[in-house]
Amino acid sequence: MPIATAVKEALGSSSMIRKMFEEGNQLKKQHGADKVFDFSIGNPDIEPPPAFHRVFLKLAKEDRKGSHGYMPNAGYPDVREALAKKASREHKVNIDGSHLVMAVGAAGGLNVVFKTILNPGDEVIVSRPYFMEYRSYVGNHGGRLVEVDTLPDFNLDIEAIKAKLSPKTAAVLINSPHNPTGRVYPAAAIAALAEALRAHGKASGRLPYLVADEPYREIAYNNIEVPPVLSAYSESIIVNSYSKSLSLPGERIGYIAVSPDISAKDDMMNGLIYATRILGYVNAPALMQRIVAELTFAKVDVAIYAKRLAAFKEALDAAGIPYTEPEGAFYLFCKVPPKKGGASAEVGDDKAFADHLKQYLILGVPGTGFGKPGWLRFAYCVDEKLIRASGAAFKKAVESW
Ligand SMILES: Cc1ncc(COP(=O)(O)O)c(C=O)c1O
């Protein structure tokens, strides 16, 4: 028996990020790991903060009776209470554990949310560029992703979103700080989006959800505030994870929280809990739940990422590669520079430029992989030394482009 057609097709168009990652490993075997400037994947290389190891060892040693057993599908009640305090502070609301469900990372959380809210054929509006896995997360649950462009500075284009709202719109999905652009949407943009959704709800009788994917909330620069979402709109749902803020992507731990004003709260929470169970997660990992509850406000040292960003910008400036200034996350979204003799206004060929960079052992992900041709994403969760060493290679690559 063959495997499902949809899966077969998906395998054929495998993620560009993964493809670059595999090519990077190949190049490293050939040339040595320290010779390859692999900026392809957003896998944090900073170790979790020391407090994580301390709490991890303490809880592992305690080995409390029953601590490896099944639990309520929503997660441990005391952990939900603790994280609701965190979400309340960040989102300027007053929610308790009954508004929060523990999740298997942001990816697990988003799947649970879409399973809960989507009817067949429902639409989820997303702004381009975006994290490509969203297409699968929405498709997994019978939904259809509807793409709109952002403004040229990569902020939300509220008019473009409004133009796509329809009776089929179940949700608008936003991500801030943003992968791949590093943009942090200002409070005014969130407010304008909320207003547009309320107006659409009034006119159509269906108030769409606002789903905010926030795994980078804690990674923002220059003391910029990542504006609250839960207090901005009644039908809002946030998904957060510790993959980036505590550098724990392999441990698969995060949470979903809803606005205190959400309609039919009991249905929503029961739906999220049911989806957690039947998607096969059953519950988020037990030990990790107990650890993050003790580390509510801990995070990796963001200053390290800020220093790397500065080093990367120096390298790009020297090479003449334009980029959009990131306000958070750990990506630089760069414009493909014009070819020698080419017009600077034309959209550069991002795949060709990514191939060209490979000759200089530099790996970045073509913007096409995020729905934005003409751009390239570099992840700077790599050693600062490697970033500094890449400067000469970037320069040579641009000179011969
Ligand atoms: C925008 C965005 N959302 C979700 C995820 C998935 O995160 P997690 O590891 O918490 O599932 C990622 C991972 O890189 C991401 O960049």
Side-chain angles (χ1 to χ4, degrees):
M1 268 298 280
I3 62 168
T5 315
V7 173
K8 185 95 179 141
E9 278 170 14
L11 293 177
S13 61
S14 96
S15 145
M16 273 194 189
I17 302 179
R18 281 278 148 193
K19 196 165 153 258
M20 296 302 291
F21 180 63
E22 278 149 29
E23 283 179 8
N25 286 342
Q26 208 51 43
L27 285 176
K28 283 173 200 165
K29 260 192 214 149
Q30 243 175 299
H31 300 273
D34 57 333
K35 300 284 183 305
V36 180
F37 308 113
D38 186 353
F39 306 127
S40 63
I41 197 162
N43 190 10
D45 69 317
I46 301 180
E47 282 302 303
F52 169 81
H53 294 284
R54 217 173 34 244
V55 176
F56 178 88
L57 289 174
K58 181 191 84 170
L59 294 177
K61 271 191 203 138
E62 268 177 23
D63 203 18
R64 224 188 293 158
K65 191 167 162 26
S67 60
H68 306 293
Y70 285 123
M71 68 181 78
N73 300 114
Y76 291 120
D78 58 328
V79 173
R80 294 168 69 199
E81 286 300 331
L83 297 195
K85 286 201 179 79
K86 169 184 187 282
S88 292
R89 194 165 103 172
E90 290 173 348
H91 286 272
K92 299 193 169 41
V93 287
N94 191 7
I95 57 170
D96 60 31
S98 72
H99 297 88
L100 187 141
V101 174
M102 296 306 293
V104 181
L110 288 167
N111 272 281
V112 164
V113 169
F114 292 130
K115 176 79 184 167
T116 307
I117 65 173
L118 295 180
N119 283 308
D122 270 354
E123 295 177 350
V124 175
I125 299 175
V126 72
S127 297
R128 208 165 29 207
Y130 61 90
F131 178 56
M132 269 290 156
E133 303 288 83
Y134 291 159
R135 181 163 290 285
S136 305
Y137 301 164
V138 168
N140 284 346
H141 310 292
R144 196 172 78 81
L145 204 63
V146 174
E147 300 178 11
V148 299
D149 279 316
T150 56
L151 297 171
D153 66 356
F154 296 116
N155 262 311
L156 293 173
D157 184 341
I158 306 298
E159 292 306 315
I161 294 174
K162 270 187 190 167
K164 291 286 182 186
L165 289 168
S166 87
K168 286 190 185 162
T169 308
V172 173
L173 171 59
I174 59 170
N175 165 225
S176 169
H178 187 261
N179 174 10
T181 64
R183 185 64 60 245
V184 171
Y185 299 139
I190 307 285
L193 177 57
E195 191 45 49
L197 297 181
R198 277 191 290 268
H200 172 74
K202 219 169 174 184
S204 70
R206 182 176 190 185
L207 205 47
Y209 291 105
L210 173 56
V211 179
D213 177 28
E214 306 197 316
Y216 302 97
R217 172 168 271 280
E218 280 84 353
I219 301 177
Y221 306 115
N222 302 321
N223 297 322
I224 191 171
E225 191 211 2
V226 180
V229 174
L230 294 181
S231 52
Y233 182 58
S234 64
E235 310 309 309
S236 55
I237 304 171
I238 59 128
V239 179
N240 202 330
S241 99
Y242 290 90
S243 293
K244 320 288 171 170
S245 62
L246 286 181
S247 280
L248 296 176
E251 301 293 356
R252 315 305 307 135
I253 185 73
Y255 59 88
I256 303 163
V258 305
S259 156
D261 304 319
I262 201 155
S263 317
K265 180 197 163 202
D266 287 350
D267 274 359
M268 171 59 72
M269 299 318 292
N270 289 334
L272 294 172
I273 295 166
Y274 165 78
T276 299
R277 190 184 98 218
I278 58 117
L279 287 176
Y281 303 122
V282 183
N283 56 251
L287 178 59
M288 287 302 138
Q289 287 194 39
R290 292 168 57 217
I291 292 175
V292 297
E294 291 203 25
L295 296 175
T296 335
F297 293 106
K299 61 177 179 180
V300 291
D301 184 358
V302 176
I304 298 175
Y305 287 128
K307 273 182 75 190
R308 292 168 174 190
L309 169 59
F312 217 126
K313 280 167 43 180
E314 257 177 51
L316 295 172
D317 288 341
I321 299 179
Y323 52 84
T324 184
E325 180 74 41
E327 295 159 303
F330 38 57
Y331 306 106
L332 264 160
F333 205 46
C334 301
K335 204 166 185 174
V336 174
K339 277 192 153 176
K340 274 219 183 78
S344 63
E346 74 191 20
V347 175
D349 184 337
D350 50 320
K351 288 185 192 163
F353 190 55
D355 280 341
H356 178 73
L357 288 177
K358 267 185 238 160
Q359 295 170 37
Y360 299 86
L361 303 183
I362 299 171
L363 296 176
V365 183
T368 302
F370 303 92
K372 189 75 184 169
W375 293 74
L376 238 89
R377 186 196 79 174
F378 298 111
Y380 51 88
C381 33
V382 295
D383 201 298
E384 193 182 322
K385 271 198 233 122
L386 198 77
I387 295 171
R388 293 206 177 276
S390 71
F394 269 116
K395 229 171 156 183
K396 275 192 216 149
V398 173
E399 278 162 12
S400 60
W401 171 237

